[in-house]
Amino acid sequence: MQQDEHRAVLAPHDDEEPALRADPFAQLKLLDLQQIDASRDQLAHRLQTMPERLALQQASEQRADLSGRLGQLQTEVADLVREQRKAEADVEQVRSRSARNRERIEGGLVSDAKQLQAMQHELETLAHRVSDLEDAELEVMERLEEAESQQADLSRQLARLDEEIADLTSRRDALVEDITTRRADLDAERAVVSAEIPADLLALYERLRTQLAGVGVGALHHGRCGGCQLNVGAADLARMAVAPSDEVLRCEECDRILVRTAESGI
């Protein structure tokens, strides 16, 4: 049915805004349209609030933190490796000097008594120096071992987190695809239903839906407004009971369009 064939016409109304008139069939189509729009809104809300999206955000933040800490540890490990190599080189240098002096003394290559005494004293000094350097080297090795252990632990955490992120991403993408498909189906259905509603009635519905939390129309069900869920007053019900079937009714409480059905109670 073409939209132009169902153009609503204005009818006199006591309020400032004149009442619309539209074929009762077109008015009933508003209820179908509202149901479609409610489903579309639910899908949009689900898309924005899906647990996987929040979990992904939290996991990504956690990964950024772990990655930053791992980067710092990698730098620390590299620095400690260089420090350890230097400590090893310092120990080796002092040991080599001590070994050369000992060989000269034991080989009888030092004949001067004062020189011999000085070299023996240096050997004692070098022995203390080696001990200090070895202690420093051991400390560096312990720090390096601890840093490498932390690095390995963070690497394992990061690997597990990457697996979790991959799983969450896959689940999120599957949900997004499902929601997108269902939204496309609803959009197509909405286009068909909208074409059966007069343009001015559709415009009123769209305006009210925007103003009233996504609900622009409600069925009059046993004297109750399906939009705000409030009972319609007796005087208003009496007026609605005698109103022409093509008059577009409005709820006095919430201003939404009221559509009469077989269960309206009038």
Side-chain angles (χ1 to χ4, degrees):
M1 190 176 296
Q2 297 297 319
Q3 183 167 310
D4 290 343
E5 297 177 359
H6 288 277
R7 180 172 178 79
V9 296
L10 296 178
H13 198 273
D14 293 337
D15 299 331
E16 292 182 4
E17 181 181 354
L20 287 174
R21 291 193 183 279
D23 186 274
F25 174 80
Q27 295 186 44
L28 286 171
K29 282 294 178 180
L30 280 179
L31 297 178
D32 296 335
L33 186 61
Q34 179 65 75
Q35 185 173 2
I36 293 170
D37 285 336
S39 296
R40 292 167 74 244
D41 291 344
Q42 288 171 1
L43 288 177
H45 178 73
R46 185 181 176 191
L47 186 64
Q48 293 300 319
T49 60
M50 63 174 65
E52 288 78 7
R53 188 184 296 276
L54 177 59
L56 258 178
Q57 179 182 348
Q58 293 173 340
S60 297
E61 292 173 355
Q62 185 179 356
R63 192 191 190 286
D65 177 63
L66 284 177
S67 182
R69 289 163 56 192
L70 182 59
Q72 293 175 349
L73 272 174
Q74 289 170 338
T75 300
E76 182 180 347
V77 167
D79 291 342
L80 287 171
V81 167
R82 286 192 293 271
E83 189 174 345
Q84 182 187 20
R85 289 172 181 170
K86 183 180 182 303
E88 290 175 348
D90 290 344
V91 170
E92 184 58 31
Q93 183 180 12
V94 174
R95 283 176 176 169
S96 297
R97 182 176 179 83
S98 180
R100 287 195 302 271
N101 287 351
R102 188 173 291 105
E103 288 175 0
R104 292 183 64 189
I105 293 173
E106 293 175 351
L109 300 178
V110 182
S111 57
D112 184 78
K114 288 185 178 181
Q115 186 179 6
L116 179 60
Q117 184 178 7
M119 291 186 68
Q120 289 173 337
H121 178 70
E122 184 180 12
L123 280 175
E124 294 176 0
T125 301
L126 290 175
H128 289 299
R129 177 61 176 160
V130 166
S131 177
D132 291 341
L133 289 173
E134 286 177 338
D135 289 343
E137 180 185 9
L138 180 60
E139 180 186 356
V140 172
M141 290 175 62
E142 290 174 348
R143 289 164 54 200
L144 176 59
E145 182 179 354
E146 176 64 22
E148 287 177 333
S149 175
Q150 293 179 14
Q151 180 182 354
D153 182 58
L154 283 180
S155 296
R156 287 190 293 271
Q157 291 183 47
L158 199 58
R160 288 194 297 269
L161 192 57
D162 283 340
E163 291 178 359
E164 180 182 347
I165 289 175
D167 177 63
L168 286 170
T169 300
S170 177
R171 287 158 51 192
R172 179 204 61 188
D173 291 348
L175 282 172
V176 169
E177 182 179 0
D178 176 63
I179 290 173
T180 301
T181 299
R182 293 170 61 186
R183 178 64 183 263
D185 292 341
L186 287 171
D187 288 346
E189 186 179 355
R190 189 183 200 278
V192 172
V193 174
S194 296
E196 300 182 79
I197 301 173
D200 43 7
L201 180 59
L202 182 61
L204 174 62
Y205 163 77
E206 298 285 15
R207 175 169 64 82
L208 292 173
R209 203 172 90 83
T210 300
Q211 296 173 349
L212 300 171
V215 180
V217 61
L220 180 60
H221 185 76
H222 295 305
R224 180 188 295 267
C225 171
C228 63
Q229 302 301 319
L230 295 177
N231 290 326
V232 178
D236 290 326
L237 280 177
R239 178 182 62 79
M240 292 175 184
V242 298
S245 62
D246 64 347
E247 181 179 338
V248 178
L249 303 179
R250 303 281 288 277
C251 175
E252 294 294 331
E253 293 294 335
C254 66
D255 203 36
R256 291 181 174 90
I257 298 170
L258 272 178
V259 176
R260 284 164 284 188
T261 69
E263 298 181 341
S264 290
I266 56 176

